[in-house]
């Protein structure tokens, strides 16, 4: 579940990121697998590969979104900003990265940005 209070932070973070290195892979992102009878389901493997591509491109840009990242963690964990500094960074980032809803939504926002030519 993506909490409503996380939305403004994700939008702000997305607007600050340079997605030029990801533009083509995001525009052509296919995260669904055919399951028969014209039906499709989300492919965890394809989402994982797309998430890896996104993280690889975003990681060098973390300084641009560092304050937003702290706010995102506070909203995601539902804790005050002051308490974010006491959390285990790697464990917390892995938790957020492993959240399929957050990953899917963040990928969606970046895909829309790529499609808009940003």
């Amino acid at each position: 579940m993506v909490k409503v209070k996380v939305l403004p932070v994700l939008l702000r973070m997305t607007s600050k990121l340079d997605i030029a290195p990801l533009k083509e892979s995001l525009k052509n992102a296919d995260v669904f697998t055919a399951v028969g009878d014209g039906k499709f389901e989300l492919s965890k493997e394809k989402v994982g590969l797309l998430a890896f591509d996104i993280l690889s491109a975003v990681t060098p840009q973390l300084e641009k979104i560092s304050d937003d990242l702290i706010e995102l963690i506070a909203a995601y964990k539902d804790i005050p900003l002051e308490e974010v500094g006491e959390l285990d960074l790697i464990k917390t980032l892995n938790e957020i990265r492993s959240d399929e809803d957050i990953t899917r939504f963040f990928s969606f926002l970046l895909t829309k940005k790529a499609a808009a030519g940003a």
Side-chain angles (χ1 to χ4, degrees):
M1 173 180 74
V2 178
K3 296 177 185 174
V4 173
K5 62 183 171 182
V6 171
L7 179 63
V9 183
L10 287 175
L11 291 171
R12 193 168 51 248
M13 289 171 66
T14 304
S15 71
K16 292 179 182 179
L17 296 173
D18 174 19
I19 61 159
L22 286 170
K23 202 168 195 174
E24 285 308 309
S25 62
L26 287 171
K27 284 169 84 172
N28 300 316
D30 175 21
V31 293
F32 295 96
T33 301
V35 292
D37 293 332
K39 295 182 182 178
F40 295 87
E41 66 180 29
L42 197 59
S43 166
K44 288 184 180 185
E45 181 179 311
K46 290 180 180 181
V47 169
L49 291 172
L50 181 60
F52 180 78
D53 287 346
I54 291 170
L55 285 173
S56 296
V58 169
T59 300
Q61 302 181 59
L62 286 178
E63 184 179 349
K64 292 179 185 177
I65 59 170
S66 60
D67 291 337
D68 300 312
L69 193 55
I70 292 169
E71 191 176 337
L72 173 67
I73 292 169
Y76 180 81
K77 300 287 270 177
D78 204 18
I79 60 173
L81 283 171
E82 300 79 30
E83 291 181 22
V84 171
E86 301 303 316
L87 296 174
D88 179 310
L89 176 65
I90 302 302
K91 183 179 176 182
T92 304
L93 290 179
N94 278 334
E95 180 182 338
I96 292 171
R97 181 190 55 80
S98 298
D99 185 317
E100 289 182 22
D101 291 331
I102 291 286
T103 302
R104 205 172 322 142
F105 191 70
F106 194 64
S107 296
F108 168 77
L109 292 176
L110 289 175
T111 302
K112 288 296 183 187
K113 183 175 179 178

